[in-house]
PDB file of all heavy atoms in Angstrom:
ATOM      1  N   ARG J   1      -6.535   0.414  -8.759  1.00  0.00           N
ATOM      2  CA  ARG J   1      -7.535   0.494  -9.822  1.00  0.00           C
ATOM      3  C   ARG J   1      -8.839   1.131  -9.335  1.00  0.00           C
ATOM      4  O   ARG J   1      -9.062   1.279  -8.143  1.00  0.00           O
ATOM      5  CB  ARG J   1      -7.812  -0.892 -10.393  1.00  0.00           C
ATOM      6  CG  ARG J   1      -8.103  -1.980  -9.357  1.00  0.00           C
ATOM      7  CD  ARG J   1      -7.913  -3.344 -10.006  1.00  0.00           C
ATOM      8  NE  ARG J   1      -8.217  -4.464  -9.156  1.00  0.00           N
ATOM      9  CZ  ARG J   1      -7.319  -5.113  -8.415  1.00  0.00           C
ATOM     10  NH1 ARG J   1      -6.056  -4.714  -8.388  1.00  0.00           N
ATOM     11  NH2 ARG J   1      -7.672  -6.166  -7.698  1.00  0.00           N
ATOM     12  N   ASN J   2      -9.652   1.494 -10.312  1.00  0.00           N
ATOM     13  CA  ASN J   2     -10.962   2.088 -10.043  1.00  0.00           C
ATOM     14  C   ASN J   2     -11.987   0.987  -9.810  1.00  0.00           C
ATOM     15  O   ASN J   2     -12.902   0.790 -10.609  1.00  0.00           O
ATOM     16  CB  ASN J   2     -11.386   2.983 -11.218  1.00  0.00           C
ATOM     17  CG  ASN J   2     -10.695   4.328 -11.175  1.00  0.00           C
ATOM     18  OD1 ASN J   2     -10.582   4.946 -10.124  1.00  0.00           O
ATOM     19  ND2 ASN J   2     -10.215   4.781 -12.315  1.00  0.00           N
ATOM     20  N   GLU J   3     -11.809   0.284  -8.725  1.00  0.00           N
ATOM     21  CA  GLU J   3     -12.700  -0.818  -8.368  1.00  0.00           C
ATOM     22  C   GLU J   3     -12.945  -0.722  -6.858  1.00  0.00           C
ATOM     23  O   GLU J   3     -12.011  -0.868  -6.078  1.00  0.00           O
ATOM     24  CB  GLU J   3     -12.025  -2.146  -8.724  1.00  0.00           C
ATOM     25  CG  GLU J   3     -12.820  -3.383  -8.370  1.00  0.00           C
ATOM     26  CD  GLU J   3     -12.027  -4.642  -8.678  1.00  0.00           C
ATOM     27  OE1 GLU J   3     -11.496  -4.751  -9.808  1.00  0.00           O
ATOM     28  OE2 GLU J   3     -11.925  -5.505  -7.790  1.00  0.00           O
ATOM     29  N   PRO J   4     -14.184  -0.434  -6.445  1.00  0.00           N
ATOM     30  CA  PRO J   4     -14.437  -0.224  -5.018  1.00  0.00           C
ATOM     31  C   PRO J   4     -14.116  -1.471  -4.195  1.00  0.00           C
ATOM     32  O   PRO J   4     -14.462  -2.597  -4.579  1.00  0.00           O
ATOM     33  CB  PRO J   4     -15.932   0.092  -4.960  1.00  0.00           C
ATOM     34  CG  PRO J   4     -16.316   0.501  -6.349  1.00  0.00           C
ATOM     35  CD  PRO J   4     -15.408  -0.260  -7.257  1.00  0.00           C
ATOM     36  N   LEU J   5     -13.432  -1.270  -3.072  1.00  0.00           N
ATOM     37  CA  LEU J   5     -13.233  -2.356  -2.122  1.00  0.00           C
ATOM     38  C   LEU J   5     -14.570  -2.722  -1.488  1.00  0.00           C
ATOM     39  O   LEU J   5     -15.412  -1.851  -1.257  1.00  0.00           O
ATOM     40  CB  LEU J   5     -12.226  -1.934  -1.050  1.00  0.00           C
ATOM     41  CG  LEU J   5     -10.780  -1.730  -1.533  1.00  0.00           C
ATOM     42  CD1 LEU J   5      -9.932  -1.133  -0.419  1.00  0.00           C
ATOM     43  CD2 LEU J   5     -10.183  -3.036  -2.030  1.00  0.00           C
ATOM     44  N   LYS J   6     -14.740  -4.017  -1.187  1.00  0.00           N
ATOM     45  CA  LYS J   6     -16.009  -4.507  -0.652  1.00  0.00           C
ATOM     46  C   LYS J   6     -15.837  -4.982   0.790  1.00  0.00           C
ATOM     47  O   LYS J   6     -14.740  -5.358   1.214  1.00  0.00           O
ATOM     48  CB  LYS J   6     -16.532  -5.672  -1.508  1.00  0.00           C
ATOM     49  CG  LYS J   6     -16.709  -5.354  -2.980  1.00  0.00           C
ATOM     50  CD  LYS J   6     -17.345  -6.516  -3.741  1.00  0.00           C
ATOM     51  CE  LYS J   6     -16.529  -7.797  -3.684  1.00  0.00           C
ATOM     52  NZ  LYS J   6     -15.214  -7.694  -4.326  1.00  0.00           N
ATOM     53  N   ASN J   7     -16.937  -4.963   1.523  1.00  0.00           N
ATOM     54  CA  ASN J   7     -16.933  -5.515   2.867  1.00  0.00           C
ATOM     55  C   ASN J   7     -16.446  -6.969   2.820  1.00  0.00           C
ATOM     56  O   ASN J   7     -16.905  -7.758   1.991  1.00  0.00           O
ATOM     57  CB  ASN J   7     -18.345  -5.465   3.451  1.00  0.00           C
ATOM     58  CG  ASN J   7     -18.374  -5.843   4.909  1.00  0.00           C
ATOM     59  OD1 ASN J   7     -17.779  -5.167   5.739  1.00  0.00           O
ATOM     60  ND2 ASN J   7     -19.073  -6.925   5.240  1.00  0.00           N
ATOM     61  N   GLY J   8     -15.485  -7.303   3.687  1.00  0.00           N
ATOM     62  CA  GLY J   8     -14.940  -8.657   3.710  1.00  0.00           C
ATOM     63  C   GLY J   8     -13.649  -8.818   2.938  1.00  0.00           C
ATOM     64  O   GLY J   8     -12.989  -9.856   3.037  1.00  0.00           O
ATOM     65  N   ASP J   9     -13.274  -7.805   2.124  1.00  0.00           N
ATOM     66  CA  ASP J   9     -11.996  -7.834   1.410  1.00  0.00           C
ATOM     67  C   ASP J   9     -10.844  -7.601   2.387  1.00  0.00           C
ATOM     68  O   ASP J   9     -11.022  -7.063   3.491  1.00  0.00           O
ATOM     69  CB  ASP J   9     -11.931  -6.720   0.354  1.00  0.00           C
ATOM     70  CG  ASP J   9     -12.760  -7.000  -0.883  1.00  0.00           C
ATOM     71  OD1 ASP J   9     -13.163  -8.160  -1.086  1.00  0.00           O
ATOM     72  OD2 ASP J   9     -13.012  -6.044  -1.655  1.00  0.00           O
ATOM     73  N   ILE J  10      -9.637  -7.957   1.936  1.00  0.00           N
ATOM     74  CA  ILE J  10      -8.407  -7.442   2.544  1.00  0.00           C
ATOM     75  C   ILE J  10      -7.584  -6.823   1.435  1.00  0.00           C
ATOM     76  O   ILE J  10      -7.684  -7.224   0.270  1.00  0.00           O
ATOM     77  CB  ILE J  10      -7.599  -8.530   3.283  1.00  0.00           C
ATOM     78  CG1 ILE J  10      -7.246  -9.705   2.363  1.00  0.00           C
ATOM     79  CG2 ILE J  10      -8.347  -9.014   4.515  1.00  0.00           C
ATOM     80  CD1 ILE J  10      -6.298 -10.727   2.995  1.00  0.00           C
ATOM     81  N   VAL J  11      -6.765  -5.830   1.793  1.00  0.00           N
ATOM     82  CA  VAL J  11      -5.931  -5.177   0.790  1.00  0.00           C
ATOM     83  C   VAL J  11      -4.568  -4.872   1.406  1.00  0.00           C
ATOM     84  O   VAL J  11      -4.473  -4.335   2.502  1.00  0.00           O
ATOM     85  CB  VAL J  11      -6.587  -3.889   0.237  1.00  0.00           C
ATOM     86  CG1 VAL J  11      -6.875  -2.872   1.334  1.00  0.00           C
ATOM     87  CG2 VAL J  11      -5.735  -3.273  -0.870  1.00  0.00           C
ATOM     88  N   THR J  12      -3.516  -5.276   0.687  1.00  0.00           N
ATOM     89  CA  THR J  12      -2.148  -4.983   1.114  1.00  0.00           C
ATOM     90  C   THR J  12      -1.646  -3.763   0.355  1.00  0.00           C
ATOM     91  O   THR J  12      -1.604  -3.766  -0.877  1.00  0.00           O
ATOM     92  CB  THR J  12      -1.215  -6.171   0.842  1.00  0.00           C
ATOM     93  OG1 THR J  12      -1.697  -7.323   1.527  1.00  0.00           O
ATOM     94  CG2 THR J  12       0.204  -5.863   1.315  1.00  0.00           C
ATOM     95  N   ILE J  13      -1.277  -2.719   1.106  1.00  0.00           N
ATOM     96  CA  ILE J  13      -0.715  -1.501   0.527  1.00  0.00           C
ATOM     97  C   ILE J  13       0.785  -1.508   0.805  1.00  0.00           C
ATOM     98  O   ILE J  13       1.217  -1.532   1.958  1.00  0.00           O
ATOM     99  CB  ILE J  13      -1.364  -0.234   1.118  1.00  0.00           C
ATOM    100  CG1 ILE J  13      -2.893  -0.273   0.944  1.00  0.00           C
ATOM    101  CG2 ILE J  13      -0.768   1.014   0.466  1.00  0.00           C
ATOM    102  CD1 ILE J  13      -3.380  -0.289  -0.483  1.00  0.00           C
ATOM    103  N   ASP J  14       1.565  -1.494  -0.278  1.00  0.00           N
ATOM    104  CA  ASP J  14       3.017  -1.640  -0.201  1.00  0.00           C
ATOM    105  C   ASP J  14       3.651  -0.495  -0.984  1.00  0.00           C
ATOM    106  O   ASP J  14       3.283  -0.254  -2.137  1.00  0.00           O
ATOM    107  CB  ASP J  14       3.409  -2.995  -0.816  1.00  0.00           C
ATOM    108  CG  ASP J  14       4.898  -3.282  -0.767  1.00  0.00           C
ATOM    109  OD1 ASP J  14       5.644  -2.542  -0.097  1.00  0.00           O
ATOM    110  OD2 ASP J  14       5.315  -4.265  -1.403  1.00  0.00           O
ATOM    111  N   PHE J  15       4.583   0.233  -0.358  1.00  0.00           N
ATOM    112  CA  PHE J  15       5.274   1.283  -1.100  1.00  0.00           C
ATOM    113  C   PHE J  15       6.631   1.586  -0.486  1.00  0.00           C
ATOM    114  O   PHE J  15       6.923   1.226   0.653  1.00  0.00           O
ATOM    115  CB  PHE J  15       4.425   2.552  -1.228  1.00  0.00           C
ATOM    116  CG  PHE J  15       3.968   3.175   0.063  1.00  0.00           C
ATOM    117  CD1 PHE J  15       4.614   4.285   0.595  1.00  0.00           C
ATOM    118  CD2 PHE J  15       2.859   2.669   0.743  1.00  0.00           C
ATOM    119  CE1 PHE J  15       4.182   4.868   1.769  1.00  0.00           C
ATOM    120  CE2 PHE J  15       2.412   3.260   1.917  1.00  0.00           C
ATOM    121  CZ  PHE J  15       3.081   4.355   2.433  1.00  0.00           C
ATOM    122  N   VAL J  16       7.465   2.230  -1.308  1.00  0.00           N
ATOM    123  CA  VAL J  16       8.831   2.586  -0.930  1.00  0.00           C
ATOM    124  C   VAL J  16       8.955   4.102  -0.951  1.00  0.00           C
ATOM    125  O   VAL J  16       8.602   4.749  -1.936  1.00  0.00           O
ATOM    126  CB  VAL J  16       9.856   1.968  -1.903  1.00  0.00           C
ATOM    127  CG1 VAL J  16      11.280   2.300  -1.476  1.00  0.00           C
ATOM    128  CG2 VAL J  16       9.660   0.460  -2.007  1.00  0.00           C
ATOM    129  N   VAL J  17       9.456   4.651   0.146  1.00  0.00           N
ATOM    130  CA  VAL J  17       9.647   6.100   0.262  1.00  0.00           C
ATOM    131  C   VAL J  17      11.101   6.455  -0.043  1.00  0.00           C
ATOM    132  O   VAL J  17      12.027   5.807   0.460  1.00  0.00           O
ATOM    133  CB  VAL J  17       9.280   6.583   1.677  1.00  0.00           C
ATOM    134  CG1 VAL J  17       9.734   8.021   1.903  1.00  0.00           C
ATOM    135  CG2 VAL J  17       7.782   6.460   1.898  1.00  0.00           C
ATOM    136  N   ASN J  18      11.276   7.467  -0.866  1.00  0.00           N
ATOM    137  CA  ASN J  18      12.588   8.061  -1.092  1.00  0.00           C
ATOM    138  C   ASN J  18      12.554   9.466  -0.501  1.00  0.00           C
ATOM    139  O   ASN J  18      11.883  10.361  -1.024  1.00  0.00           O
ATOM    140  CB  ASN J  18      12.912   8.109  -2.590  1.00  0.00           C
ATOM    141  CG  ASN J  18      14.291   8.705  -2.875  1.00  0.00           C
ATOM    142  OD1 ASN J  18      14.787   9.545  -2.140  1.00  0.00           O
ATOM    143  ND2 ASN J  18      14.895   8.289  -3.979  1.00  0.00           N
ATOM    144  N   LEU J  19      13.256   9.649   0.611  1.00  0.00           N
ATOM    145  CA  LEU J  19      13.342  10.954   1.269  1.00  0.00           C
ATOM    146  C   LEU J  19      14.784  11.436   1.158  1.00  0.00           C
ATOM    147  O   LEU J  19      15.674  10.934   1.845  1.00  0.00           O
ATOM    148  CB  LEU J  19      12.918  10.847   2.736  1.00  0.00           C
ATOM    149  CG  LEU J  19      12.942  12.158   3.538  1.00  0.00           C
ATOM    150  CD1 LEU J  19      11.948  13.173   2.971  1.00  0.00           C
ATOM    151  CD2 LEU J  19      12.670  11.890   5.020  1.00  0.00           C
ATOM    152  N   HIS J  20      15.010  12.362   0.238  1.00  0.00           N
ATOM    153  CA  HIS J  20      16.350  12.932   0.015  1.00  0.00           C
ATOM    154  C   HIS J  20      17.384  11.838  -0.263  1.00  0.00           C
ATOM    155  O   HIS J  20      18.519  11.901   0.219  1.00  0.00           O
ATOM    156  CB  HIS J  20      16.790  13.790   1.208  1.00  0.00           C
ATOM    157  CG  HIS J  20      15.765  14.789   1.646  1.00  0.00           C
ATOM    158  ND1 HIS J  20      15.156  15.673   0.774  1.00  0.00           N
ATOM    159  CD2 HIS J  20      15.226  15.034   2.877  1.00  0.00           C
ATOM    160  CE1 HIS J  20      14.291  16.429   1.451  1.00  0.00           C
ATOM    161  NE2 HIS J  20      14.315  16.050   2.714  1.00  0.00           N
ATOM    162  N   GLY J  21      16.966  10.817  -1.004  1.00  0.00           N
ATOM    163  CA  GLY J  21      17.884   9.761  -1.410  1.00  0.00           C
ATOM    164  C   GLY J  21      17.932   8.563  -0.482  1.00  0.00           C
ATOM    165  O   GLY J  21      18.528   7.543  -0.824  1.00  0.00           O
ATOM    166  N   ALA J  22      17.322   8.668   0.699  1.00  0.00           N
ATOM    167  CA  ALA J  22      17.279   7.546   1.640  1.00  0.00           C
ATOM    168  C   ALA J  22      15.972   6.787   1.451  1.00  0.00           C
ATOM    169  O   ALA J  22      14.903   7.395   1.346  1.00  0.00           O
ATOM    170  CB  ALA J  22      17.396   8.052   3.078  1.00  0.00           C
ATOM    171  N   LEU J  23      16.052   5.444   1.419  1.00  0.00           N
ATOM    172  CA  LEU J  23      14.890   4.614   1.108  1.00  0.00           C
ATOM    173  C   LEU J  23      14.373   3.862   2.329  1.00  0.00           C
ATOM    174  O   LEU J  23      15.139   3.505   3.227  1.00  0.00           O
ATOM    175  CB  LEU J  23      15.233   3.590   0.026  1.00  0.00           C
ATOM    176  CG  LEU J  23      15.773   4.096  -1.310  1.00  0.00           C
ATOM    177  CD1 LEU J  23      15.890   2.932  -2.294  1.00  0.00           C
ATOM    178  CD2 LEU J  23      14.905   5.203  -1.882  1.00  0.00           C
ATOM    179  N   ALA J  24      13.077   3.609   2.318  1.00  0.00           N
ATOM    180  CA  ALA J  24      12.435   2.732   3.304  1.00  0.00           C
ATOM    181  C   ALA J  24      11.252   2.061   2.620  1.00  0.00           C
ATOM    182  O   ALA J  24      10.600   2.651   1.759  1.00  0.00           O
ATOM    183  CB  ALA J  24      11.969   3.525   4.521  1.00  0.00           C
ATOM    184  N   ASP J  25      10.958   0.820   3.039  1.00  0.00           N
ATOM    185  CA  ASP J  25       9.979  -0.025   2.351  1.00  0.00           C
ATOM    186  C   ASP J  25       9.116  -0.721   3.400  1.00  0.00           C
ATOM    187  O   ASP J  25       9.642  -1.310   4.351  1.00  0.00           O
ATOM    188  CB  ASP J  25      10.754  -1.061   1.519  1.00  0.00           C
ATOM    189  CG  ASP J  25       9.887  -1.927   0.627  1.00  0.00           C
ATOM    190  OD1 ASP J  25       8.662  -1.733   0.607  1.00  0.00           O
ATOM    191  OD2 ASP J  25      10.462  -2.804  -0.052  1.00  0.00           O
ATOM    192  N   SER J  26       7.798  -0.630   3.247  1.00  0.00           N
ATOM    193  CA  SER J  26       6.911  -1.294   4.206  1.00  0.00           C
ATOM    194  C   SER J  26       5.569  -1.600   3.551  1.00  0.00           C
ATOM    195  O   SER J  26       5.051  -0.798   2.774  1.00  0.00           O
ATOM    196  CB  SER J  26       6.687  -0.419   5.441  1.00  0.00           C
ATOM    197  OG  SER J  26       5.809  -1.023   6.360  1.00  0.00           O
ATOM    198  N   ALA J  27       5.035  -2.769   3.886  1.00  0.00           N
ATOM    199  CA  ALA J  27       3.701  -3.181   3.424  1.00  0.00           C
ATOM    200  C   ALA J  27       2.852  -3.524   4.638  1.00  0.00           C
ATOM    201  O   ALA J  27       3.370  -3.984   5.657  1.00  0.00           O
ATOM    202  CB  ALA J  27       3.803  -4.391   2.497  1.00  0.00           C
ATOM    203  N   TRP J  28       1.545  -3.324   4.499  1.00  0.00           N
ATOM    204  CA  TRP J  28       0.608  -3.624   5.581  1.00  0.00           C
ATOM    205  C   TRP J  28      -0.685  -4.133   4.956  1.00  0.00           C
ATOM    206  O   TRP J  28      -1.129  -3.590   3.946  1.00  0.00           O
ATOM    207  CB  TRP J  28       0.343  -2.361   6.390  1.00  0.00           C
ATOM    208  CG  TRP J  28       0.332  -2.576   7.866  1.00  0.00           C
ATOM    209  CD1 TRP J  28      -0.751  -2.442   8.694  1.00  0.00           C
ATOM    210  CD2 TRP J  28       1.422  -2.931   8.712  1.00  0.00           C
ATOM    211  NE1 TRP J  28      -0.387  -2.707  10.007  1.00  0.00           N
ATOM    212  CE2 TRP J  28       0.955  -3.017  10.041  1.00  0.00           C
ATOM    213  CE3 TRP J  28       2.776  -3.221   8.476  1.00  0.00           C
ATOM    214  CZ2 TRP J  28       1.756  -3.363  11.120  1.00  0.00           C
ATOM    215  CZ3 TRP J  28       3.585  -3.552   9.548  1.00  0.00           C
ATOM    216  CH2 TRP J  28       3.070  -3.620  10.842  1.00  0.00           C
ATOM    217  N   THR J  29      -1.258  -5.164   5.536  1.00  0.00           N
ATOM    218  CA  THR J  29      -2.541  -5.667   5.050  1.00  0.00           C
ATOM    219  C   THR J  29      -3.666  -5.133   5.926  1.00  0.00           C
ATOM    220  O   THR J  29      -3.606  -5.237   7.156  1.00  0.00           O
ATOM    221  CB  THR J  29      -2.570  -7.206   5.043  1.00  0.00           C
ATOM    222  OG1 THR J  29      -1.542  -7.683   4.163  1.00  0.00           O
ATOM    223  CG2 THR J  29      -3.915  -7.721   4.539  1.00  0.00           C
TER     224      THR J  29
END
């Protein structure tokens, strides 16, 4: 969303890659 992250926040970015039909999934905080 269009909401600036603030000092002291944590954010988990999670996504799945499809590379020529092969999948991989990883999240990181």
Side-chain angles (χ1 to χ4, degrees):
R1 50 198 183 266
N2 281 317
E3 178 184 310
L5 293 172
K6 303 185 300 296
N7 188 63
D9 285 345
I10 57 173
V11 59
T12 302
I13 304 297
D14 181 10
F15 57 101
V16 182
V17 169
N18 181 330
L19 181 63
H20 310 309
L23 303 187
D25 186 1
S26 178
W28 223 246
T29 299

